[in-house]
mmCIF file of all heavy atoms in Angstrom:
data_model
loop_
_atom_site.group_PDB
_atom_site.id
_atom_site.type_symbol
_atom_site.label_atom_id
_atom_site.label_comp_id
_atom_site.label_asym_id
_atom_site.label_seq_id
_atom_site.Cartn_x
_atom_site.Cartn_y
_atom_site.Cartn_z
ATOM 1 N N LYS N 446 102.064 88.959 103.584
ATOM 2 C CA LYS N 446 103.502 89.054 104.019
ATOM 3 C C LYS N 446 104.218 89.769 102.887
ATOM 4 O O LYS N 446 105.087 90.735 103.157
ATOM 5 C CB LYS N 446 104.165 87.738 104.280
ATOM 6 C CG LYS N 446 103.671 87.167 105.648
ATOM 7 C CD LYS N 446 104.397 85.828 105.912
ATOM 8 C CE LYS N 446 103.656 84.965 106.872
ATOM 9 N NZ LYS N 446 103.891 83.559 106.635
ATOM 10 N N LEU N 447 103.985 89.387 101.665
ATOM 11 C CA LEU N 447 104.686 89.951 100.537
ATOM 12 C C LEU N 447 104.309 91.437 100.333
ATOM 13 O O LEU N 447 105.164 92.323 100.246
ATOM 14 C CB LEU N 447 104.415 89.147 99.273
ATOM 15 C CG LEU N 447 105.034 89.732 97.974
ATOM 16 C CD1 LEU N 447 106.498 89.889 98.130
ATOM 17 C CD2 LEU N 447 104.692 88.867 96.772
ATOM 18 N N LEU N 448 103.052 91.712 100.404
ATOM 19 C CA LEU N 448 102.553 93.104 100.127
ATOM 20 C C LEU N 448 103.118 94.000 101.257
ATOM 21 O O LEU N 448 103.486 95.156 100.953
ATOM 22 C CB LEU N 448 101.061 93.169 100.056
ATOM 23 C CG LEU N 448 100.412 92.512 98.757
ATOM 24 C CD1 LEU N 448 98.905 92.621 98.726
ATOM 25 C CD2 LEU N 448 101.040 92.949 97.479
ATOM 26 N N LEU N 449 103.064 93.504 102.462
ATOM 27 C CA LEU N 449 103.530 94.286 103.654
ATOM 28 C C LEU N 449 105.010 94.589 103.473
ATOM 29 O O LEU N 449 105.429 95.678 103.758
ATOM 30 C CB LEU N 449 103.219 93.545 104.942
ATOM 31 C CG LEU N 449 101.896 93.904 105.533
ATOM 32 C CD1 LEU N 449 101.684 93.121 106.831
ATOM 33 C CD2 LEU N 449 101.760 95.365 105.816
ATOM 34 N N ALA N 450 105.694 93.532 103.099
ATOM 35 C CA ALA N 450 107.191 93.748 102.944
ATOM 36 C C ALA N 450 107.419 94.876 101.929
ATOM 37 O O ALA N 450 108.307 95.685 102.112
ATOM 38 C CB ALA N 450 107.856 92.431 102.553
ATOM 39 N N LEU N 451 106.648 94.874 100.897
ATOM 40 C CA LEU N 451 106.865 95.853 99.839
ATOM 41 C C LEU N 451 106.480 97.298 100.313
ATOM 42 O O LEU N 451 107.131 98.271 100.099
ATOM 43 C CB LEU N 451 106.048 95.571 98.570
ATOM 44 C CG LEU N 451 106.522 94.322 97.816
ATOM 45 C CD1 LEU N 451 105.439 93.843 96.881
ATOM 46 C CD2 LEU N 451 107.832 94.620 97.082
ATOM 47 N N VAL N 452 105.329 97.347 101.057
ATOM 48 C CA VAL N 452 104.849 98.613 101.566
ATOM 49 C C VAL N 452 105.765 99.219 102.610
ATOM 50 O O VAL N 452 105.807 100.345 102.781
ATOM 51 C CB VAL N 452 103.384 98.454 102.077
ATOM 52 C CG1 VAL N 452 102.958 99.723 102.875
ATOM 53 C CG2 VAL N 452 102.457 98.217 100.892
ATOM 54 N N GLN N 453 106.520 98.324 103.328
ATOM 55 C CA GLN N 453 107.491 98.780 104.262
ATOM 56 C C GLN N 453 108.736 99.469 103.614
ATOM 57 O O GLN N 453 109.508 100.075 104.329
ATOM 58 C CB GLN N 453 107.879 97.685 105.195
ATOM 59 C CG GLN N 453 106.827 97.360 106.251
ATOM 60 C CD GLN N 453 106.856 96.033 106.853
ATOM 61 O OE1 GLN N 453 107.822 95.314 106.558
ATOM 62 N NE2 GLN N 453 105.962 95.650 107.761
ATOM 63 N N CYS N 454 108.757 99.329 102.295
ATOM 64 C CA CYS N 454 109.872 99.959 101.549
ATOM 65 C C CYS N 454 111.259 99.704 102.049
ATOM 66 O O CYS N 454 112.021 100.562 102.413
ATOM 67 C CB CYS N 454 109.637 101.511 101.570
ATOM 68 S SG CYS N 454 108.112 102.052 100.783
ATOM 69 N N LYS N 455 111.555 98.386 102.203
ATOM 70 C CA LYS N 455 112.878 98.018 102.695
ATOM 71 C C LYS N 455 113.875 97.782 101.539
ATOM 72 O O LYS N 455 114.957 97.274 101.803
ATOM 73 C CB LYS N 455 112.736 96.807 103.520
ATOM 74 C CG LYS N 455 112.000 97.002 104.843
ATOM 75 C CD LYS N 455 112.076 95.788 105.730
ATOM 76 C CE LYS N 455 111.134 94.710 105.179
ATOM 77 N NZ LYS N 455 110.911 93.636 106.104
ATOM 78 N N ARG N 456 113.447 97.970 100.347
ATOM 79 C CA ARG N 456 114.314 97.702 99.143
ATOM 80 C C ARG N 456 115.578 98.473 99.184
ATOM 81 O O ARG N 456 115.587 99.647 99.498
ATOM 82 C CB ARG N 456 113.446 97.984 97.865
ATOM 83 C CG ARG N 456 114.002 97.302 96.710
ATOM 84 C CD ARG N 456 113.239 97.610 95.418
ATOM 85 N NE ARG N 456 111.865 96.914 95.356
ATOM 86 C CZ ARG N 456 111.774 95.601 95.139
ATOM 87 N NH1 ARG N 456 112.794 94.835 95.107
ATOM 88 N NH2 ARG N 456 110.579 95.149 95.062
ATOM 89 N N ASP N 457 116.684 97.733 98.836
ATOM 90 C CA ASP N 457 118.030 98.385 98.868
ATOM 91 C C ASP N 457 118.021 99.480 97.687
ATOM 92 O O ASP N 457 117.389 99.356 96.690
ATOM 93 C CB ASP N 457 119.083 97.368 98.447
ATOM 94 C CG ASP N 457 119.260 96.319 99.458
ATOM 95 O OD1 ASP N 457 118.961 96.505 100.667
ATOM 96 O OD2 ASP N 457 119.661 95.198 99.095
ATOM 97 N N VAL N 458 118.786 100.523 97.999
ATOM 98 C CA VAL N 458 119.003 101.582 96.974
ATOM 99 C C VAL N 458 120.018 100.973 96.047
ATOM 100 O O VAL N 458 121.018 100.301 96.356
ATOM 101 C CB VAL N 458 119.623 102.828 97.670
ATOM 102 C CG1 VAL N 458 119.998 103.839 96.623
ATOM 103 C CG2 VAL N 458 118.683 103.328 98.762
ATOM 104 N N PRO N 459 119.812 101.105 94.655
ATOM 105 C CA PRO N 459 120.731 100.495 93.743
ATOM 106 C C PRO N 459 122.170 100.949 93.940
ATOM 107 O O PRO N 459 122.337 102.126 94.274
ATOM 108 C CB PRO N 459 120.219 100.947 92.390
ATOM 109 C CG PRO N 459 118.769 101.349 92.605
ATOM 110 C CD PRO N 459 118.725 101.776 94.028
ATOM 111 N N SER N 460 123.086 100.114 93.889
ATOM 112 C CA SER N 460 124.486 100.490 94.045
ATOM 113 C C SER N 460 125.233 100.443 92.807
ATOM 114 O O SER N 460 124.933 99.719 91.828
ATOM 115 C CB SER N 460 125.134 99.505 95.066
ATOM 116 O OG SER N 460 126.507 99.429 94.923
ATOM 117 N N ASN N 461 126.316 101.259 92.640
ATOM 118 C CA ASN N 461 127.112 101.219 91.480
ATOM 119 C C ASN N 461 128.019 100.011 91.464
ATOM 120 O O ASN N 461 128.528 99.636 90.392
ATOM 121 C CB ASN N 461 127.976 102.501 91.420
ATOM 122 C CG ASN N 461 127.105 103.675 91.184
ATOM 123 O OD1 ASN N 461 126.097 103.608 90.536
ATOM 124 N ND2 ASN N 461 127.596 104.828 91.723
ATOM 125 N N VAL N 462 128.266 99.395 92.599
ATOM 126 C CA VAL N 462 129.146 98.275 92.707
ATOM 127 C C VAL N 462 128.267 97.015 92.522
ATOM 128 O O VAL N 462 127.382 96.785 93.302
ATOM 129 C CB VAL N 462 129.858 98.258 94.088
ATOM 130 C CG1 VAL N 462 130.808 97.095 94.135
ATOM 131 C CG2 VAL N 462 130.501 99.530 94.415
ATOM 132 N N VAL N 463 128.688 96.238 91.547
ATOM 133 C CA VAL N 463 127.968 94.976 91.314
ATOM 134 C C VAL N 463 128.517 93.912 92.286
ATOM 135 O O VAL N 463 129.655 93.608 92.176
ATOM 136 C CB VAL N 463 128.032 94.537 89.763
ATOM 137 C CG1 VAL N 463 127.287 93.205 89.610
ATOM 138 C CG2 VAL N 463 127.469 95.628 88.951
ATOM 139 N N ASP N 464 127.620 93.325 93.074
ATOM 140 C CA ASP N 464 128.126 92.383 94.060
ATOM 141 C C ASP N 464 127.909 90.926 93.485
ATOM 142 O O ASP N 464 126.746 90.371 93.688
ATOM 143 C CB ASP N 464 127.366 92.558 95.422
ATOM 144 C CG ASP N 464 127.991 91.618 96.515
ATOM 145 O OD1 ASP N 464 128.546 90.619 96.151
ATOM 146 O OD2 ASP N 464 127.707 91.964 97.699
ATOM 147 N N TYR N 465 128.815 90.425 92.727
ATOM 148 C CA TYR N 465 128.606 89.168 92.079
ATOM 149 C C TYR N 465 128.322 88.009 93.018
ATOM 150 O O TYR N 465 127.568 87.073 92.683
ATOM 151 C CB TYR N 465 129.759 88.776 91.156
ATOM 152 C CG TYR N 465 129.819 89.758 89.935
ATOM 153 C CD1 TYR N 465 130.714 90.838 90.013
ATOM 154 C CD2 TYR N 465 128.959 89.567 88.907
ATOM 155 C CE1 TYR N 465 130.685 91.689 88.858
ATOM 156 C CE2 TYR N 465 128.957 90.479 87.804
ATOM 157 C CZ TYR N 465 129.840 91.508 87.813
ATOM 158 O OH TYR N 465 129.848 92.384 86.761
ATOM 159 N N GLU N 466 128.956 87.997 94.194
ATOM 160 C CA GLU N 466 128.758 86.978 95.147
ATOM 161 C C GLU N 466 127.379 87.009 95.720
ATOM 162 O O GLU N 466 126.695 85.940 95.821
ATOM 163 C CB GLU N 466 129.773 87.155 96.314
ATOM 164 C CG GLU N 466 129.942 85.860 97.108
ATOM 165 C CD GLU N 466 130.921 86.068 98.248
ATOM 166 O OE1 GLU N 466 131.730 86.989 98.223
ATOM 167 O OE2 GLU N 466 130.747 85.209 99.231
ATOM 168 N N LYS N 467 126.839 88.167 95.976
ATOM 169 C CA LYS N 467 125.488 88.255 96.418
ATOM 170 C C LYS N 467 124.447 87.893 95.434
ATOM 171 O O LYS N 467 123.406 87.225 95.667
ATOM 172 C CB LYS N 467 125.203 89.692 96.944
ATOM 173 C CG LYS N 467 123.960 89.816 97.796
ATOM 174 C CD LYS N 467 123.859 91.199 98.389
ATOM 175 C CE LYS N 467 122.519 91.404 99.140
ATOM 176 N NZ LYS N 467 122.363 92.755 99.572
ATOM 177 N N ILE N 468 124.775 88.241 94.135
ATOM 178 C CA ILE N 468 123.941 87.843 93.062
ATOM 179 C C ILE N 468 123.775 86.341 92.916
ATOM 180 O O ILE N 468 122.726 85.765 92.897
ATOM 181 C CB ILE N 468 124.501 88.460 91.649
ATOM 182 C CG1 ILE N 468 124.219 89.970 91.700
ATOM 183 C CG2 ILE N 468 123.718 87.846 90.467
ATOM 184 C CD1 ILE N 468 124.984 90.655 90.609
ATOM 185 N N ASP N 469 124.986 85.701 93.006
ATOM 186 C CA ASP N 469 124.985 84.229 92.980
ATOM 187 C C ASP N 469 124.284 83.615 94.108
ATOM 188 O O ASP N 469 123.524 82.734 93.977
ATOM 189 C CB ASP N 469 126.473 83.809 92.862
ATOM 190 C CG ASP N 469 126.474 82.301 92.589
ATOM 191 O OD1 ASP N 469 125.886 81.829 91.617
ATOM 192 O OD2 ASP N 469 127.115 81.567 93.387
ATOM 193 N N ASN N 470 124.557 84.149 95.304
ATOM 194 C CA ASN N 470 123.895 83.574 96.509
ATOM 195 C C ASN N 470 122.381 83.700 96.429
ATOM 196 O O ASN N 470 121.628 82.842 96.778
ATOM 197 C CB ASN N 470 124.331 84.355 97.733
ATOM 198 C CG ASN N 470 125.779 84.022 98.151
ATOM 199 O OD1 ASN N 470 126.308 82.960 97.729
ATOM 200 N ND2 ASN N 470 126.391 84.823 99.011
ATOM 201 N N ASP N 471 121.879 84.849 95.981
ATOM 202 C CA ASP N 471 120.472 85.070 95.867
ATOM 203 C C ASP N 471 119.830 84.153 94.850
ATOM 204 O O ASP N 471 118.781 83.626 94.967
ATOM 205 C CB ASP N 471 120.147 86.519 95.485
ATOM 206 C CG ASP N 471 120.291 87.482 96.736
ATOM 207 O OD1 ASP N 471 120.417 86.962 97.881
ATOM 208 O OD2 ASP N 471 120.319 88.691 96.472
ATOM 209 N N ALA N 472 120.548 83.949 93.679
ATOM 210 C CA ALA N 472 120.071 83.136 92.683
ATOM 211 C C ALA N 472 119.957 81.707 93.187
ATOM 212 O O ALA N 472 118.906 81.009 92.943
ATOM 213 C CB ALA N 472 120.970 83.145 91.440
#
Side-chain angles (χ1 to χ4, degrees):
K446 287 182 202 153
L447 175 57
L448 296 180
L449 270 179
L451 292 166
V452 168
Q453 282 160 1
C454 300
K455 291 187 289 190
R456 199 179 285 291
D457 296 334
V458 176
S460 155
N461 292 328
V462 184
V463 180
D464 186 341
Y465 290 100
E466 200 182 335
K467 194 173 177 187
I468 290 167
D469 187 56
N470 287 343
D471 283 349

